[in-house]
Amino acid sequence: MTSAERPDIAIAWVSRSKARDLLKHIGRDERPVTHEVLDELPPGKVLSHLRSVLVATGTLPPRDERLIALEKRITETVQARTDLAERRILHGYSVWHHMRRLRRRLGEDHTTRLQDLNVRCHVTAAGNFLTWLTSEGLTLGTCTQPDLQRRMADATVSYRDETGHFVRWSVQHRHARGLTYGTVRWTGPQGTIDSEKRWADARRLLNDDTLPTPDRVAGLLLILYAQKISTISQLTVDDVHIDGDAVTITFGSSPVVLPAPLASLVRELIATRCGKAKIGTPDDVAWLFPGGRPGQPLGDDRIGERLHTIGIRPKQDRSTALFTLATELPAAILARMLGIHIKVAVQWQKASAGDWAAYAADVSRRNAPHQPIHEPGATP
């Protein structure tokens, strides 16, 4: 406790009634404190904070809390289905399709907020559709195309694209027959590809000393290097290499040399970074953008809010950066810099050349028949 950056605040937190009661309850348990023991306690902000403190101080090993919560939510959602056939279908869609894909994509990384939200929306859409079928006296096997069109014509229906994805998956796995619900193919950027704004924003972030250094660095990484907010959030000091006057940062598989003005800002960020957590010091925190919880990075949602506040539009400005880079760099270099597959980089080059049809066709072939076509500005 006394090793906290602000021991007085840490002690004040322990003195709160809810925190004190929680610690007393844990103290009465003779078992060693583990994640599994904490999982048995009622969830809440106090427990989440205590867990993050124990992880940050090395008492507990780190784990993907967002993934754990998502697994629990899916289990509850599946078990809530009273019809065994529906439960089996929803389990296959949620666990064997979405969760398996997510784990394969994550590797050793932790789940981002958008990945979590994506799975939750798809599972919710599937559950809602199954519930509607039951209310209509239908099943996936007896649902006809007119039934599906009647459902989709209802103005109150939410998660339309996600529902369409579930329908296509159901047809592929022979739970349904003769149903079609097409994807919406991307036909180009919705907003203007404003290169002038991109460079104006870059100059402002490089020269405006009144803006917070973390916001300036995050904004520059997005508009100059087309980095996703979720990637920026997960950057650590180990991703930055300083060798004399040269500063490089690694996003994908190859380090990128930063220009002098941005390199100076990154140096300053490493030296001064601090989150709102009161346990630990900056030297103990690996994150380039530490957050409010001990040992946790600043969330991608929070970074997005802060960029909006200083006039950066993350989704549209990143699309502008991606198109610009795709016209300037060979596909192999673009892939290494962004940490994406070279085939995706080639797709972006086609899109940057204005060949939207070729781009959409490539994405459709890569994702067909069971994957949705994603909007490129969100997921390259």
Side-chain angles (χ1 to χ4, degrees), residues 8 27 49 60 90 140 178 190 214 258 265 328 338 344 348 350:
D8 56 329
H49 183 80
L60 290 179
L90 190 58
L140 276 173
Q190 295 180 352
L258 302 180
L265 286 175
E328 297 174 347
L338 296 179
V344 180
W348 268 104
K350 290 180 180 180

Side-chain angles (χ1 to χ4, degrees), residues 227-344:
Q227 293 303 303
K228 294 184 290 186
I229 294 180
S230 58
T231 300
I232 294 172
S233 171
Q234 297 296 314
L235 288 172
T236 69
V237 293
D238 292 334
D239 294 319
V240 179
H241 180 67
I242 301 176
D243 184 9
D245 294 332
V247 177
T248 61
I249 188 169
T250 302
F251 305 118
S253 58
S254 300
V256 176
V257 179
L258 302 180
L262 178 53
S264 298
L265 286 175
V266 172
R267 288 174 183 268
E268 179 183 343
L269 176 60
I270 292 176
T272 61
R273 65 201 163 86
C274 61
K276 293 184 178 181
K278 305 307 177 183
I279 302 295
T281 64
D283 290 338
D284 300 325
V285 181
W287 306 109
L288 196 59
F289 298 90
R293 286 187 177 180
Q296 298 296 313
L298 190 63
D300 48 1
D301 53 340
R302 181 58 182 145
I303 291 178
E305 293 173 0
R306 292 175 62 157
L307 291 182
H308 273 292
T309 300
I310 63 175
I312 304 299
R313 303 163 300 180
K315 187 174 182 179
Q316 185 169 339
D317 290 346
R318 181 172 177 265
S319 290
T320 299
L322 275 169
F323 279 107
T324 304
L325 292 173
T327 60
E328 297 174 347
L329 299 176
I333 295 178
L334 183 65
R336 288 197 299 268
M337 187 182 77
L338 296 179
I340 59 178
H341 196 281
I342 189 170
K343 291 182 179 179
V344 180

